[in-house]
């Protein structure tokens, strides 16, 4: 009996110790809450002139223990000025002061481009850096910098085939050209001895028919292409230009008989199609030997 009582007392004492430790831990957690830290919710974004504003979020690891302010340092590259974009709250003396409330999780500021500035065709760059924070909040150890790329839209696009890997035999294929655009070709080959300005593409004829096409996101206002005869045949050579499978232009250069090195330029204005579109160039006309070299496909973008 004595042994049983002793064992019972031992377990009672042990339980009391665990209860005391648990209570002490609870007291500590209540008296010493974790101090929240802040960081950018993401690391980068891209902005174009006239595009919608973007919201740059600053995240708390836990709710703010009191109201306060975050100071964000704004650092521009040599091409960028503070009149290129607008922020809310505004930039004052190279800094943005972002307020936050008690219990807030994610304060933010917004950035919008100045639509009247085209940025001169030069891409620009701005870095927002978390510099300091007031109140019972600290800077996080990571994601303290947000990079904003200010992309200047091109006034003209060019595909000159410099990045192409078209075979020296007729066939079908594709390549990624300028501006990251994927071009698909049918029954075509490289420029061989009939180049215009370095690399190019020869469309063979209308039987297949030979063509080159791509889906482009810039919209299209106008289009131009250089063309020349790519064989000694005198068969009829007609080049058709289509946008979204609709014929927008037909081009029949007046090549001379036999060998002819003359370069003709087809120009089509007032196309005025916004958004994504498919551009296709194909050979038409009568004959079996209608080879034509194309180069310097040029188009200007269009927006509503």
């Amino acid at each position: 009996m004595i042994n049983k009582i002793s064992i019972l007392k031992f377990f009672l004492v042990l339980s009391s110790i665990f209860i005391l430790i648990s209570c002490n831990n609870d007291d500590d957690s209540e008296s010493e809450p974790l101090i929240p830290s802040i960081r950018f919710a993401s690391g980068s974004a891209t902005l174009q002139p006239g595009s919608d504003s973007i919201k740059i979020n600053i995240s708390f690891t836990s709710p703010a223990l009191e109201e306060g302010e975050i100071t964000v340092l704004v650092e521009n590259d040599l091409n960028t000025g503070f009149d290129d974009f607008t922020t809310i709250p505004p930039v004052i003396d190279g800094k943005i002061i972002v307020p936050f409330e008690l219990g807030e999780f994610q304060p933010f500021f917004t950035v919008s481009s100045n639509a009247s500035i085209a940025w001169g065709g030069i891409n620009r760059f701005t870095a927002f850096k978390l510099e300091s924070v007031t109140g019972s909040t600290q800077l996080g150890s990571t994601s303290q910098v947000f990079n904003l790329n200010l992309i200047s839209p091109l006034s003209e696009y060019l595909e000159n085939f410099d990045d192409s890997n078209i075979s020296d035999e007729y066939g079908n294929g594709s390549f990624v050209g300028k501006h990251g655009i994927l071009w698909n070709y049918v029954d075509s080959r490289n420029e061989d001895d009939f180049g215009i300005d370095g690399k190019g593409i020869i469309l063979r004829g209308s039987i297949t028919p030979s063509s080159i096409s791509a889906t482009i996101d810039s919209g299209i206002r106008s289009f131009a292409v250089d063309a020349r005869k790519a064989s000694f045949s005198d068969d009829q050579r007609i080049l058709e230009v289509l946008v979204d499978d609709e014929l927008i232009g037909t081009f029949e250069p007046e090549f001379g008989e036999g060998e002819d090195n003359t370069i003709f330029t087809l120009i089509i204005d007032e196309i005025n199609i916004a958004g994504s579109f498919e551009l296709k160039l194909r050979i038409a006309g009568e004959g079996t030997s209608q080879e034509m070299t194309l180069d310097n496909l040029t188009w200007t973008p269009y927006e509503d």
Side-chain angles (χ1 to χ4, degrees), residues 38 66 68 97 126 154 168 170 182 221 236 250 272 296 300:
I38 59 169
E66 58 183 346
I97 305 300
T126 291
L154 295 175
D168 58 3
Y170 286 104
L182 176 67
R221 181 185 301 276
Q236 183 184 38
T250 301
N272 299 344
N296 299 324
T300 54

Side-chain angles (χ1 to χ4, degrees), residues 281-293:
L281 288 77
R282 71 184 180 196
I283 295 293
E286 298 179 357
T288 59
S289 182
Q290 303 161 285
E291 295 89 345
M292 189 185 302
T293 302

Side-chain angles (χ1 to χ4, degrees), residues 236-265:
Q236 183 184 38
R237 290 169 169 83
I238 296 176
L239 180 66
E240 295 181 336
V241 181
L242 300 92
V243 171
D244 293 334
D245 289 327
E246 291 189 13
L247 186 65
I248 64 167
T250 301
F251 181 44
E252 187 173 4
E254 295 181 359
F255 293 120
E257 294 182 0
E259 182 178 1
D260 187 352
N261 298 329
T262 306
I263 298 170
F264 292 85
T265 301

